[in-house]
């Protein structure tokens, strides 16, 4: 079992590294002691051991963003016990491939892959720009002629390096000639391409009291929230594919083709999937659905977070909850704020 229709094998590894790292604190990472590495990943880990903490951090950023984007929805991107340990190779049940669980090839799975590989590229790129590794740094290659009223300065973030790391690492297991590998590769790349497409020129003014006599600019990654919002749109417009089998010299190869040829085919930044999602109303270990029982819902919303839709028509329970809050706050000259503590009563609605 794993995170809902979720992360498959390609990413568990970076999480394993995260775990390893947090438990070891500042001790060096021993690549050989991380369970389940394929040889390519092991080599990668040894060559790039300095940036392994950023790889793990990147997956974490991706999952947190996923949980933000899907909060209040039936599928909310939550792992079984919200522990990254979930991605480890030991916990899985059900269908297996290479000894690891394969979750369904749904839209949700596509999103998780894209956001996690974008997260890895993002975190590695950021840490390189902050100078925390010797093998990478700022990007000096993408400086065109300076613009009107500004010159190049600061440290341009090297998103190509971060993306390379993400590609090497997250895609290392996606080389099988089957449909699922093809899907994961497309979605992983879509995440990284989105990051690349959202780079912007960040500028700073210099001069007497910010007069902006001199302005310096550099390439910067956007806030990761921008990537999350962007990928969420991609999730909504994801392309449904069908699997095709071809006989090639090396054997059977599966490829993906758009299911509906009156839609335009997916581009590099589009998400693809080929299995329909469950409705996530009821728990089902096979599909990774937790069901929505006991989830809190919004009584006045007509959206997916509203009690009608979130509870799948089963109805809801209501209880009152008392919460202590600061109130009657006064600003005193100068300079502190004093408050009283009030108890407020809230209605909390949860799905039956
Ligand atoms: C939850 O995570 C912890 C590690 O944080 C692990 O020890 C435990 O076995 C996990 N429980 C389940 C049910 O997966
Ligand atoms: C997400 O769903 C799970 C399972 O239904 C639930 O336990 C958890 O509290 C939810 N998280 C949030 C933030 O609503
Ligand atoms: C519930 O939904 C209403 C209407 O969409 C919204 O205004 C309100 O902020 C929501 N409440 C919470 C706690 O999210």
């Amino acid at each position: 079992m794993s995170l809902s229709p979720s992360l498959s094998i390609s990413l568990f590894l970076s999480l394993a590294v995260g775990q390893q790292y947090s438990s070891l604190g500042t001790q060096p990472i021993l690549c050989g002691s991380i369970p389940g590495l394929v040889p390519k990943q092991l080599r990668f880990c040894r060559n790039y051991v300095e940036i392994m903490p950023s790889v793990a951090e990147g997956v974490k950023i991706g999952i947190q963003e996923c949980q933000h984007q899907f909060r209040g929805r039936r599928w909310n991107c939550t792992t079984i016990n919200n522990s990254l340990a979930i991605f480890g190779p030991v916990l899985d049940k059900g269908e297996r491939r290479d000894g690891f669980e394969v979750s369904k090839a749904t839209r949700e799975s596509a999103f998780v892959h894209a956001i996690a590989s974008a997260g890895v590229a993002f975190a590695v790129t950021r840490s390189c720009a902050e100078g925390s590794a010797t093998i990478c740094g700022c990007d000096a290659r993408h400086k065109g002629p300076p613009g009107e009223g500004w010159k190049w300065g600061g440290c341009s973030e090297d998103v190509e390096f971060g993306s390379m790391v993400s590609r090497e690492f997250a895609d290392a297991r996606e080389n099988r000639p089957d449909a699922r590998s093809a899907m994961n590769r497309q979605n992983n790349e879509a995440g990284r391409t989105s990051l690349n497409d959202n780079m912007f020129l960040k500028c700073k003014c210099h001069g007497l009291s910010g007069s902006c006599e001199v302005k310096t600019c550099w390439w910067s990654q956007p806030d990761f929230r921008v990537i999350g919002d962007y990928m969420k749109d991609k999730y909504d417009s994801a392309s449904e594919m069908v699997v095709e089998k071809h006989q090639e010299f090396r054997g059977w190869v599966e490829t993906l083709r758009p299911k509906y040829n009156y839609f335009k085919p997916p581009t590099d930044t589009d998400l693809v999937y080929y299995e329909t999602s469950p409705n996530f109303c009821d728990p089902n270990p096979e599909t990774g659905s937790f069901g929505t029982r006991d989830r809190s819902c919004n009584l006045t919303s007509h959206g997916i977070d509203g009690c009608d839709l979130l509870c799948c028509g089963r109805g809801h329970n209501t209880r009152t909850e008392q919460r202590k809050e600061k109130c009657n706050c006064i600003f005193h000259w100068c300079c502190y704020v004093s408050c009283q503590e009030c108890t407020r009563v809230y209605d909390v609605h949860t799905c039956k």
Side-chain angles (χ1 to χ4, degrees), residues 298-303 305:
N298 183 333
L299 193 60
T300 55
S301 166
H302 296 291
D305 61 337

Side-chain angles (χ1 to χ4, degrees), residues 1 40 117 155 240 248:
M1 256 307 299
K40 188 176 177 193
S117 6
C155 174
E240 185 170 1
E248 284 185 12

Side-chain angles (χ1 to χ4, degrees), residues 13 24 57 112 150 158 165 194 199 207 216 261-262 293 343:
L13 164 66
L24 290 178
E57 173 66 18
V112 171
W150 61 272
D158 190 355
V165 170
S194 308
M199 296 292 286
T216 55
N261 45 26
Y262 44 85
R293 202 197 153 102
T343 303

Side-chain angles (χ1 to χ4, degrees), residues 128-148:
C128 289
E130 284 165 354
S132 43
T134 54
I135 52 168
C136 58
C138 308
D139 178 5
R141 295 183 304 278
H142 294 96
K143 293 186 179 170
E148 187 86 10

Side-chain angles (χ1 to χ4, degrees), residues 68-90:
H68 170 81
Q69 294 292 336
F70 287 86
R71 70 200 181 283
R73 300 178 58 122
R74 285 181 191 163
W75 179 73
N76 67 3
C77 204
T78 299
T79 59
I80 282 185
N81 65 3
N82 239 337
S83 148
L84 299 179
I86 207 71
F87 301 103
V90 237

